[in-house]
Each structure stands twice: as C-alpha cells, then as structure tokens.
Amino acid sequence: SRHSNARRLYVDAEQWIMADRSACNALSFDTVCEALCINSALLRRRIVDWKHSVRRQRAEHPDTPGLHLKVTSHPRHSSHHRGRPASVSHAM
C-alpha cells in the first residue's frame, strides 16, 4: 500500500511473521501457530510465496486492479457486558 498507515500495518505484520524463532514469546507467530495446531514453517513459506506471486502479477499486469484489503478497527465499546449476569429481581 502507498498509504502510510496501511503500509505500517503491513510492515508490522510481516516483521511478526518473519521474526526470529529464538525470540518466541506468548504472542509470537510460532507460538500462536502452535496453539492453533498450524505448521508455522509451512504457513510462513506459503505467505511468502503468495506475496511474491502478487508482486509478479502486478509487474506483469500493471493495469489490473490489485487486491485491496480494508483494515477496520474494532468498536471500543460493546453493547453487552461479558461475564456479568443479567440483573434478576426476585419477588417475595
């Protein structure tokens, strides 16, 4: 992306995916993949292959519209409360 915010998010995601495996922490790519029973090395290789494929397609067909992914933020406030039971009034 040529837009700075989208580009920064892309770079952050790429760095997370390609991070050194020896620096594993609770939310590293490898740890998350392991928790989801996903082969991290295979997924990483397929993501890199996909990235290069998209670049080749853009170079070969520069007039073709590219893939546009919209990044949306999550709403900050939820209409419901997690973990809180609904109020119950008991008549005696």
Side-chain angles (χ1 to χ4, degrees):
S1 176
R2 289 183 177 87
H3 301 289
S4 62
N5 191 37
R7 179 70 184 159
R8 183 177 43 80
L9 291 172
Y10 172 85
V11 170
D12 287 348
E14 185 175 36
Q15 288 175 345
W16 179 70
I17 292 167
M18 302 307 293
D20 183 10
R21 293 179 189 176
S22 65
C24 282
N25 62 42
L27 294 177
S28 71
F29 180 78
D30 291 302
T31 304
V32 170
C33 285
E34 183 178 326
L36 297 172
C37 298
I38 295 172
N39 181 328
S40 62
L42 179 60
L43 179 57
R44 185 179 284 114
R45 186 173 73 233
R46 288 186 176 177
I47 290 170
V48 170
D49 289 346
W50 174 71
K51 172 185 168 182
H52 292 300
S53 172
V54 169
R55 282 190 176 170
R56 275 193 305 276
Q57 289 174 359
R58 285 187 180 168
E60 293 169 0
H61 308 284
D63 297 334
T64 304
L67 175 66
H68 296 283
L69 301 176
K70 184 176 181 181
V71 178
T72 57
S73 61
H74 294 285
R76 291 186 179 212
H77 301 288
S78 179
S79 61
H80 68 282
H81 301 285
R82 290 184 181 171
R84 287 189 190 171
S87 298
V88 178
S89 62
H90 297 284
M92 293 203 169

